[in-house]
Amino acid sequence: MPLQDIKERIDAEERRMGKPAGQTKLIAVSKVQPNERVEAVLVEGHRVFGENKVQEAAGKWPDFKGRFGGVELHLLGPLQTNKTKQAMLLFDVIHSVDRPKLANKLATLSTELGHCPDLFVQVNTGKEPQKAGVMPEELDAFVAQCRGLGLPVIGLMCIPPADEEPSLHFALLAKLAKRNKLDGLSMGMSGDFERAIAQGATHVRVGSAIFGDRDYG
Ligand SMILES: *Cc1c(COP(=O)(O)O)cnc(C)c1O
């Protein structure tokens, strides 16, 4: 099964880098995939999944969570302020914190709900205009602001530009995390997760290599 192959490749890369086995968390990205494929991976025993959209996740995960114990759900895509509460109730981890308005909303709702998912700040390492994420030069101030609000920021996340060597972006993200005393590094997808592990990824987000190509039909 592809899931097993990916796990073995992660193990091999951890060994190659001299890291303790099992240090890298594999997030199986199930967005757009048919429910049968997702269920097959749940049946195989995997419990850590990622989705891009709050609405799509809300349509399938309450049922899966009811049938399979111990699911850990990660939000990877952009979060609109008006969906923040729903996201906080559905997801265990949010990887896309990227602006003061969202940080403020998360802080207000944390007080109201009495809990907050673990958070990653998304960084636009390639400074792409169309892409979400805090600009690298604005990151330190934003992380400080989040901490000032009491938010549980555990790391940084990036999606490198499609046409550039991802390792350079992974190395930049690692440097920015270290400078901000953050341990978590959410980086690496189907095509580059080994390179991400080599640069210190703690969370890799792998979709199509596990589930097959997404059919956007
Ligand atoms: C879709 C997606 C992934 C997984 O992409 P694959 O290339 O299918 O592995 C990872 N991270 C984010 C933020 C995504 O949107």
Side-chain angles (χ1 to χ4, degrees):
M1 278 294 284
L3 175 70
Q4 208 48 47
D5 296 344
I6 299 299
K7 283 190 185 171
E8 281 167 19
R9 284 169 60 187
I10 289 172
D11 286 348
E13 189 60 24
E14 286 175 337
R15 263 198 310 279
R16 198 180 73 80
M17 295 306 297
K19 291 183 170 194
Q23 208 191 14
T24 314
K25 185 168 273 201
L26 171 59
I27 303 171
V29 184
S30 50
K31 65 181 185 203
V32 190
Q33 299 287 353
N35 283 347
E36 311 84 72
R37 289 189 193 168
V38 182
E39 182 153 348
V41 170
L42 280 160
V43 168
E44 269 194 90
H46 198 71
R47 289 294 180 269
V48 184
F49 290 84
E51 289 283 344
N52 240 30
K53 295 193 171 137
V54 178
Q55 221 54 46
E56 185 188 338
K60 58 181 149 177
W61 282 101
D63 177 54
F64 280 141
K65 280 186 181 179
R67 292 164 52 218
F68 297 89
V71 168
E72 181 181 302
L73 204 55
H74 294 244
L75 177 64
L76 310 177
L79 178 54
Q80 290 168 256
T81 318
N82 64 4
K83 299 222 174 90
T84 309
K85 188 172 184 176
Q86 193 185 7
M88 289 173 80
L89 294 171
L90 184 60
F91 290 94
D92 301 289
V93 186
I94 296 174
H95 292 238
S96 50
V97 181
D98 64 353
R99 59 195 190 281
K101 191 177 172 202
L102 178 57
N104 285 322
K105 187 82 181 181
L106 286 161
T108 306
L109 287 167
S110 295
T111 309
E112 184 186 321
L113 300 172
H115 92 106
C116 185
D118 283 338
L119 304 173
F120 285 81
V121 171
Q122 183 173 353
V123 185
N124 190 348
T125 57
K127 302 193 181 193
E128 296 172 279
Q130 82 286 6
K131 204 166 265 178
V134 181
M135 291 297 165
E137 63 273 17
E138 288 161 12
L139 178 71
D140 298 4
F142 184 64
V143 170
Q145 187 182 359
C146 290
R147 284 181 166 144
L149 289 165
L151 293 176
V153 176
I154 63 164
L156 303 180
M157 178 274 229
C158 77
I159 308 171
D163 55 352
E164 289 180 26
E165 169 51 49
S167 293
L168 301 174
H169 295 270
F170 299 154
L172 171 61
L173 199 71
K175 189 181 97 178
L176 294 170
K178 189 165 183 215
R179 189 163 87 200
N180 282 281
K181 301 193 165 47
L182 290 166
D183 295 327
L185 281 172
S186 167
M187 56 192 199
M189 315 195 339
S190 289
D192 55 22
F193 66 87
E194 282 134 325
R195 278 175 281 176
I197 293 168
Q199 297 296 332
T202 58
H203 296 62
V204 293
R205 313 179 306 262
V206 181
S208 43
I210 294 173
F211 295 103
D213 287 339
R214 286 179 289 275
D215 180 3
Y216 288 95

